[in-house]
Amino acid sequence: MKLLITTDLSQGSQSTIDAVNKRPWPAGSEACVLHVVDLTPFPLGAELLETARQGAESVVKSASECLGSSGLKIQTEVLLDYPRRAISEYAKKWGADLVLVGSHGRSALARFLLGSVAQGVLRTAPCSVEIVRASIEDPSHARRGLKMLLATDGSDCSIEAARSIAKRPWPAGSCVRVISVVPPFFPIADVATGYSYVQREVLPDETLEKAAWFRAAKAVAQADELLRESSSVTIERSTPLLGDPKAVILEEAAQWGADMIVVGSHGWRGFDRLMMGSVSESLALH
């Protein structure tokens, strides 16, 4: 497995390093610690740019040394570019399987700052992306492993998300809870646009609603079957839930005390990736 670990001078980067150190990884895995010196502040100052590059070399060297206990084969890279695009381009060039990006926090300002780089990576990366947040230390965390909330709608991307959990090792005691959310609206055919959406209260009959509940239950069962291929996690299944997926998933994660939310990049409706903010991107930002 190839991990691309992005780093800067923020606390979010240190949280990313800590997360990598705390988890087991497949045998033979390697990591690249990447820092992109943002060209935006240096339109003319070549001397300042060189100073920034030298500082970045020190940052990635320090980060790689902190990963000494991870068991990963480590390399480092410093680029002079625009981070929003350069990270995804390098991930594709290097053949990364997972990009890890630190978060600035949960405040409105932090979500705005996150959008500058991490949001761009989410939208354009050729592989899975993990937003790593600093969390309050739980003294029992090391004993219970990770609590992962997998939200699925049965789409190809959701299936791949479940498979990504099943094929990786996890800390002892880790648990996956599988949920699927039925939105309070359903697609109907529309001559002009191809399809549109109606509120469940105005449906002429219950056919579409029953189909949606059936699809959600099937998605949970399918994810459960895939996860049983893993010996690293225990599994909890939930009955389908009704509501706005973004709100319901976040609420479930908070109430259950999840350490990680895992979702596909986009769902069965087939939104363009630039429109993935419907659910996946919203979860990442919040």
Side-chain angles (χ1 to χ4, degrees), residues 146 148 173-178 227-228 230-236 256:
L146 290 173
M148 294 172 277
S174 293
C175 177
V176 181
R177 187 177 187 192
V178 185
L227 290 168
R228 293 192 183 280
S230 171
S231 59
S232 299
V233 298
T234 58
I235 307 164
E236 294 183 10
W256 188 54

Side-chain angles (χ1 to χ4, degrees), residues 17 33 57-70 74-76:
I17 299 298
V33 181
E57 295 284 0
S58 176
V59 167
V60 296
K61 179 180 179 181
S62 176
S64 66
E65 291 172 351
C66 290
L67 290 167
S69 62
S70 66
I74 309 294
Q75 69 181 71
T76 63

